[in-house]
Amino acid sequence: MEIEKEAETILKKFSDVLETIPDLEETQYLVDNLNRTREDVKSPSNPEKILRNTHLDKKGSIIAEKGKWTK
């Protein structure tokens, strides 16, 4: 079959390419910064900054999009 011949050709070419890759020793990296934590620091809230980016109606209420997952 033609597909089998093409697959064999591809595998043969791939195997030839793999033969040209030199054997290298493994490289290991010791990393000492895994699972680092930081202290929780409360940042000051600024409601004026938040409200600056919102849309308000005539009464001053925030206009927000209703979640698409709600009915």
Side-chain angles (χ1 to χ4, degrees):
M1 295 189 143
E2 187 176 338
I3 294 176
E4 288 178 1
K5 289 179 185 177
E6 287 179 16
E8 287 177 12
T9 304
I10 290 170
L11 287 174
K12 175 71 174 128
K13 287 180 182 179
F14 184 68
S15 199
D16 292 341
V17 170
L18 287 179
E19 293 294 324
T20 63
I21 297 175
D23 290 333
L24 301 174
E25 293 183 28
E26 282 188 38
T27 305
Q28 297 180 358
Y29 298 97
L30 298 176
V31 179
D32 65 344
N33 63 357
L34 294 176
N35 298 328
R36 291 217 172 181
T37 58
R38 62 177 172 82
E39 292 184 29
D40 289 334
V41 179
K42 183 178 178 182
S43 59
S45 62
N46 187 354
E48 292 174 1
K49 186 176 180 182
I50 296 169
L51 291 174
R52 208 176 317 148
N53 294 321
T54 61
H55 297 288
L56 302 175
D57 64 4
K58 292 179 183 178
K59 296 180 184 178
S61 300
I62 296 174
I63 300 172
E65 181 181 333
K66 181 178 178 182
K68 294 179 183 179
W69 64 91
T70 59
K71 293 181 180 181

